[in-house]
Amino acid sequence: MTLFREEQRICAVCGQANMQTVLRSTTALGSPDLDTRPPPLARMTLPLYIQCCPACGYCARDVSEAVPAVQNIVTQPEYQAQLHSEQFPYLANLFLCYHIIQQALDNYAEAGWAVVFAAWACDDAGPAFMTTAARLREKAVAFFTEARERSQAFAPSRAEEDALLADLLRRSGHFTAAQKAVEQGLAHSPDHTVQSILRFQHHLCRQHNPNVYTVQDALAWAERTNRPMKRKG
Ligand SMILES: [Zn+2]
C-alpha cells in the first residue's frame, strides 16, 4: 500500500509557499530492475522523488532546502529552457533541472542519478521517448564516470557500481563497453547476487539484448546455468 500526504513547503529559492505531495510509506511487490528501479507499487512513486516550486521552478528532493549558489542557477536561461523543454516528458524535465543544479555544485554522483530518474520517466512516457531514454542512459554513464574520477561513490560497492554501468550501457546499445564494465565488476569479487547480475549482463550483451530485466531474472538465469549437466549413459 502506498500512502501520500500533502505538505506545505516554503521554497528556499524564492520564498513562496507551495503544496507538495510527500510519500509516507509504500510497498515493493516483486523484484527491482537491474538498474535498481523499484518494482510495483514503489515504482509508481517516481514523481515523488522530486519537488518543483511552481513559482520559480526550483527542483529539488525538498524545495524547502537549498545552498546559496542555487538561486543563480535556477534563473539561468539554460535551466529555464530545460524546465519548459518539449523534447522530454514533464517529469523528466524536473529531474534534468535537478541534474543541472547538482552538476553546477560538482555533485556528479547525484547528477548521474537524476539523469537515471529522467530516463525512467522517459521509459514510462511510451515508445516515442525510447531513443531519448537511451541517450539519457549514456549521459548518466558520463556523470558516473566523472563521479568515479572524483571519488564520489554512486552505489554501495565498486562491483555494484560496475553492474549499474553495465546495465546503463547495455540498455543504450553499447554492448562492448557494457561487457568491459562486467569484467571490471567481476574483478572486485562481488557477492553471489551481484556476481549473478554481472554474468547475466554479459550473457545479454552477447545476445545484443537491450531490454529491461529484473534482479530476479538474473538470479533465475544463474540458477539454471549453474545446474550441473546430466551425464548421458
Ligand atoms: Zn521557488
Side-chain angles (χ1 to χ4, degrees):
M1 189 169 182
T2 304
L3 293 171
F4 310 102
R5 184 169 56 201
E6 291 292 313
E7 285 183 4
Q8 195 191 57
R9 290 281 189 273
I10 306 294
C11 175
V13 169
C14 72
Q16 285 265 354
N18 56 79
M19 296 306 288
Q20 299 288 343
T21 308
V22 178
L23 185 66
R24 288 180 63 202
S25 70
T26 188
T27 318
L29 299 174
S31 172
D33 294 344
L34 291 176
D35 63 1
T36 77
R37 181 158 196 196
L41 303 159
R43 77 186 301 138
M44 310 311 170
T45 61
L46 184 62
L48 307 184
Y49 288 24
I50 191 83
Q51 296 179 356
C52 178
C53 168
C56 70
Y58 172 44
C59 294
R61 288 183 183 262
D62 183 340
V63 291
S64 67
E65 294 171 7
V67 295
V70 169
Q71 196 140 16
N72 285 332
I73 303 165
V74 169
T75 52
Q76 292 289 321
E78 180 207 2
Y79 183 95
Q80 290 296 324
Q82 181 67 68
L83 188 61
H84 301 105
S85 172
E86 290 179 0
Q87 291 174 34
F88 301 91
Y90 169 74
L91 183 59
N93 278 332
L94 305 192
F95 286 120
L96 291 171
C97 281
Y98 179 59
H99 119 275
I100 291 174
I101 294 171
Q102 295 308 312
Q103 182 181 14
L105 299 175
D106 288 342
N107 296 332
Y108 286 84
E110 188 68 3
W113 275 111
V115 176
V116 171
F117 296 155
W120 293 351
C122 289
D123 292 341
D124 290 347
F129 290 99
M130 221 169 83
T131 310
T132 310
R135 296 295 84 81
L136 288 174
R137 286 184 163 91
E138 290 170 352
K139 195 178 169 93
V141 169
F143 275 110
F144 288 141
T145 305
E146 184 76 33
R148 192 170 260 186
E149 279 166 18
R150 292 164 184 252
S151 303
Q152 296 176 8
F154 53 93
S157 71
R158 182 81 185 209
E160 284 160 275
E161 287 185 354
D162 287 321
L164 175 63
L165 289 173
D167 197 65
L168 293 167
L169 288 162
R170 181 184 62 79
R171 302 265 323 260
S172 52
H174 300 281
F175 302 109
T176 307
Q179 280 174 316
K180 210 167 273 179
V182 166
E183 281 155 23
Q184 281 177 8
L186 288 172
H188 289 282
S189 312
D191 65 24
H192 172 74
T193 301
V194 179
Q195 196 180 113
S196 300
I197 290 169
L198 287 165
R199 289 181 47 235
F200 184 52
Q201 289 284 7
H202 198 269
H203 164 73
L204 295 172
C205 286
R206 285 178 62 173
Q207 296 183 327
H208 285 200
N209 182 339
N211 298 330
V212 59
Y213 288 93
T214 65
V215 171
Q216 189 50 46
D217 293 330
L219 294 175
W221 174 85
E223 173 87 359
R224 281 200 305 276
T225 52
N226 281 342
R227 206 176 293 156
M229 298 280 279
K230 268 188 184 169
R231 281 193 187 171
K232 282 181 183 169

XYZ file of all heavy atoms in Angstrom, residues 10-18 52-59 63 74, ligand 1:
125
model
N 8.020 25.941 2.045
C 8.414 27.299 1.696
C 9.648 27.163 0.801
O 10.680 26.634 1.230
C 8.775 28.139 2.953
C 7.629 28.116 3.978
C 9.151 29.568 2.541
C 6.348 28.790 3.539
N 9.540 27.631 -0.447
C 10.651 27.474 -1.389
C 11.890 28.211 -0.866
O 11.820 29.404 -0.543
C 10.255 28.009 -2.764
S 11.621 27.971 -3.941
N 13.014 27.494 -0.811
C 14.249 28.069 -0.281
C 14.895 29.040 -1.265
O 15.810 29.775 -0.907
C 15.231 26.945 0.068
N 14.399 29.063 -2.507
C 14.979 29.970 -3.509
C 14.167 31.270 -3.599
O 14.719 32.366 -3.530
C 15.070 29.270 -4.889
C 15.413 30.252 -5.999
C 16.115 28.151 -4.827
N 12.811 31.171 -3.726
C 12.007 32.386 -3.936
C 11.138 32.753 -2.737
O 10.527 33.827 -2.727
C 11.165 32.242 -5.197
S 9.793 31.086 -5.005
N 11.032 31.856 -1.759
C 10.280 32.180 -0.549
C 8.779 31.957 -0.638
O 8.052 32.184 0.328
N 8.287 31.504 -1.797
C 6.849 31.254 -1.969
C 6.438 29.968 -1.253
O 7.159 28.977 -1.301
C 6.524 31.108 -3.459
C 6.509 32.406 -4.217
C 5.099 32.994 -4.335
O 4.117 32.365 -3.937
N 5.023 34.206 -4.864
N 5.241 30.016 -0.654
C 4.692 28.795 -0.055
C 4.029 27.966 -1.145
O 3.397 28.519 -2.049
C 3.669 29.156 1.003
N 4.219 26.654 -1.121
C 3.552 25.781 -2.097
C 3.282 24.423 -1.470
O 3.902 24.052 -0.478
C 4.396 25.654 -3.373
C 5.800 25.152 -3.097
O 6.008 23.964 -2.900
N 6.779 26.062 -3.043
N 9.032 20.454 -7.286
C 9.288 21.631 -8.111
C 8.466 22.801 -7.574
O 7.257 22.658 -7.376
C 8.922 21.339 -9.568
S 9.142 22.769 -10.647
N 9.119 23.920 -7.336
C 8.402 25.112 -6.887
C 7.652 25.696 -8.084
O 8.268 26.045 -9.094
C 9.379 26.137 -6.317
S 8.591 27.744 -6.060
N 6.317 25.817 -8.000
C 5.553 26.332 -9.145
C 5.836 27.811 -9.431
O 5.562 28.286 -10.534
C 4.091 26.122 -8.728
C 4.104 25.895 -7.265
C 5.457 25.441 -6.858
N 6.405 28.514 -8.466
C 6.655 29.954 -8.671
C 7.958 30.204 -9.438
O 7.978 30.945 -10.418
C 6.680 30.670 -7.323
N 9.072 29.568 -9.004
C 10.367 29.877 -9.632
C 10.959 28.701 -10.417
O 11.931 28.864 -11.139
C 11.375 30.358 -8.580
S 11.902 29.054 -7.449
N 10.390 27.498 -10.244
C 10.885 26.334 -10.987
C 12.034 25.610 -10.313
O 12.636 24.710 -10.903
N 12.326 25.960 -9.065
C 13.399 25.260 -8.343
C 13.017 23.788 -8.158
O 11.947 23.484 -7.635
C 13.636 25.942 -6.979
C 14.581 25.212 -6.064
C 15.786 24.678 -6.539
C 14.300 25.061 -4.697
C 16.656 24.004 -5.689
C 15.166 24.396 -3.843
C 16.345 23.863 -4.344
O 17.202 23.201 -3.502
N 13.895 22.879 -8.616
C 13.654 21.440 -8.492
C 14.645 20.840 -7.503
O 15.854 21.063 -7.618
C 13.813 20.754 -9.853
S 12.568 21.253 -11.051
N 12.144 21.190 -1.721
C 12.315 22.579 -2.164
C 12.490 23.558 -0.998
O 12.825 24.719 -1.233
C 11.150 23.066 -3.067
C 11.176 22.370 -4.409
C 9.815 22.919 -2.375
N 19.026 28.612 -10.891
C 17.612 28.483 -11.258
C 17.176 29.589 -12.221
O 16.302 29.375 -13.072
C 16.742 28.471 -9.971
C 15.257 28.604 -10.288
C 16.992 27.192 -9.190
Zn 10.505 28.998 -5.663
